[in-house]
Amino acid sequence: MTTAARLVMTVAMLAVVVGCSSGGETAASCSGVVTYGNRDYLPAQDEDFTVGERLGTARIPECDDTPGEPEAAIPAGTTAAYAVAGRDPAEAIAVGDSRAGARLMEAG
């Protein structure tokens, strides 16, 4: 599975899992998380951003927050991390296989 496909699947699972809750509270999920520079980042809704220079490699941690459904597990991997114009990398980065396909992630 390509990094882009893994990231898209991760983001899609995050949207589904975050909606699941008990007692009115949002369920915590590892889905969608990437780690760069000892910080965890989650997908952001903002689609109006400019991808800057490549910073390095972000890590996609293994995630299986749906026990009993092995096809839903996300294997560990890596993807490129890029700066976001006008934002400190401690606040936001973009990740993906290319600058054109990078998605905005914000520190969580």
Side-chain angles (χ1 to χ4, degrees):
M1 178 181 299
T2 68
T3 301
R6 186 179 302 122
L7 187 59
V8 168
M9 185 172 82
T10 300
V11 171
M13 286 182 61
L14 179 63
V16 170
V17 173
V18 168
C20 300
S21 65
S22 61
E25 295 179 19
T26 302
S29 174
C30 58
S31 182
V33 174
V34 298
T35 301
Y36 175 75
N38 296 321
R39 289 185 180 84
D40 290 337
Y41 296 82
L42 294 169
Q45 298 293 335
D46 186 1
E47 294 187 20
D48 186 26
F49 64 98
T50 301
V51 178
E53 67 192 50
R54 183 175 172 149
L55 299 171
T57 302
R59 187 175 62 81
I60 302 168
E62 180 177 3
C63 177
D64 185 9
D65 55 8
T66 54
E69 294 183 38
E71 67 278 357
I74 298 167
T78 59
T79 188
Y82 300 93
V84 175
R87 305 277 305 264
D88 185 322
E91 298 172 4
I93 60 173
V95 296
D97 288 332
S98 68
R99 287 174 45 126
R103 293 192 41 90
L104 181 63
M105 308 290 281
E106 293 182 333

